[in-house]
Amino acid sequence: MKNEQRTVGQTRNTGFEIGARRTLPVTPADAWQLLLSPEGIAAWLGVTPNLLCNPGERYETTDGAAGEVRVYTPGSHLRLTWQPPGWARASTVQVRVIPSGEGTTLAFHQEHLPDAAARAVRSAHYSTALDVLESLIKDKETNR
């Protein structure tokens, strides 16, 4: 069997992938509620009028990305397709809420990215999204 050389984030079968996670000082229930709030969805997915709560539900963001909810497990896991304009195929996004000690880990994973450049863009996107989500949590705590 020939050893294939792959770059960071490149898989054998699903193109490129990226993962990002951060543990924040919030309960899993509050983290889930934040992720599915309009501000939360805007941070990690984009502005969309849909609530993303039912498998088979389709959405489109204001920047033209579209997809479909595949898995919805309230309080813990959301899996959906995501395809921006110009991409030949949809990628898959998973969002998880994981209890972690005194806080909760918010985890994003995206696969079926077309190339290393798309992976870099999505990596920066999730880093920014986690910053925004963390800021929203801090703002909520400050306003209590």
Side-chain angles (χ1 to χ4, degrees), residues 11-34:
T11 68
R12 182 180 308 248
N13 299 317
T14 61
F16 287 80
E17 65 182 2
I18 187 65
R21 59 178 49 208
R22 188 174 302 168
T23 301
L24 301 172
V26 64
T27 67
D30 286 346
W32 188 254
Q33 184 176 6
L34 174 64

Side-chain angles (χ1 to χ4, degrees), residues 10 59 79 89 98 112 127:
Q10 185 178 19
Y59 71 89
R79 183 179 174 110
R89 70 163 292 179
I98 306 163
H112 300 290
S127 179

Side-chain angles (χ1 to χ4, degrees), residues 49-62:
N50 300 60
L51 295 177
L52 304 173
C53 293
N54 300 303
E57 181 179 357
R58 297 203 49 80
Y59 71 89
E60 185 170 348
T61 63
T62 55

Side-chain angles (χ1 to χ4, degrees), residues 63-106:
D63 64 2
E68 180 180 309
V69 175
R70 295 292 173 86
V71 174
Y72 178 78
T73 305
S76 79
H77 183 208
L78 177 65
R79 183 179 174 110
L80 51 94
T81 60
W82 181 82
Q83 186 171 6
W87 280 24
R89 70 163 292 179
S91 64
T92 301
V93 176
Q94 293 187 76
V95 181
R96 293 189 183 270
V97 171
I98 306 163
S100 177
E102 297 289 320
T104 301
T105 299
L106 305 181

